Amino acid sequence: MGTMVVISTTAVPDRVRGSLSRWMVEPKAGLYVGTMSARVREKLWTAVSETVGEGAAVCLHTADNEQGFVILTAGERRRQVLDFDGLQLVQFLARPDEDDGEPEWQELPEGW
């Protein structure tokens, strides 16, 4: 029996979106939901992760672990998934303009 799979894409080539829409429903642009076997999920994710190009993709599927799901990512973005004693946590990478670790604050225009 299949399990629920959610894939979110950002700035991926049209061919990736077309491949995903063959197997999953797209309730919102770039968000795909479906139920499939582990074998189909693995083959689909391999195809997506190899062709994201400049874009990014995230896959979430149910799993028999403490959290009840697994997070897979492809492409470069500010969020990275880390394994912390068996738990998958998300960390934000600093922006390139944040050299000293502190964010640069912008002043609000008068009247705010």
Side-chain angles (χ1 to χ4, degrees):
M1 176 145 186
T3 60
M4 184 169 164
V5 178
V6 177
I7 296 179
S8 176
T9 61
T10 304
V12 295
D14 288 339
R15 67 181 179 274
V16 175
R17 297 182 70 191
S19 296
L20 288 170
S21 65
R22 287 186 202 121
W23 292 94
M24 307 173 87
V25 175
E26 187 178 13
K28 184 177 183 223
L31 180 67
Y32 301 87
V33 180
T35 303
M36 61 192 70
S37 69
R39 184 175 183 172
V40 171
R41 180 191 69 235
E42 289 169 8
K43 288 194 176 280
L44 187 60
W45 181 248
T46 298
V48 169
S49 61
E50 290 175 352
T51 57
V52 294
E54 297 289 319
V58 176
C59 176
L60 295 116
H61 65 85
T62 56
D64 189 22
N65 61 19
E66 194 67 30
Q67 287 178 300
F69 61 88
V70 171
I71 305 170
L72 305 170
T73 61
E76 294 294 322
R77 289 292 184 253
R78 286 188 59 211
R79 296 176 188 198
Q80 284 187 337
V81 179
L82 300 175
D83 183 273
F84 184 78
D85 289 338
L87 295 176
Q88 286 187 297
L89 303 175
V90 177
Q91 101 173 349
F92 286 87
L93 298 177
R95 291 186 180 148
D97 60 335
E98 296 176 4
D99 296 330
D100 60 354
E102 293 188 31
E104 292 183 20
W105 297 99
Q106 296 179 356
E107 300 230 1
L108 293 174
E110 284 188 44
W112 279 86

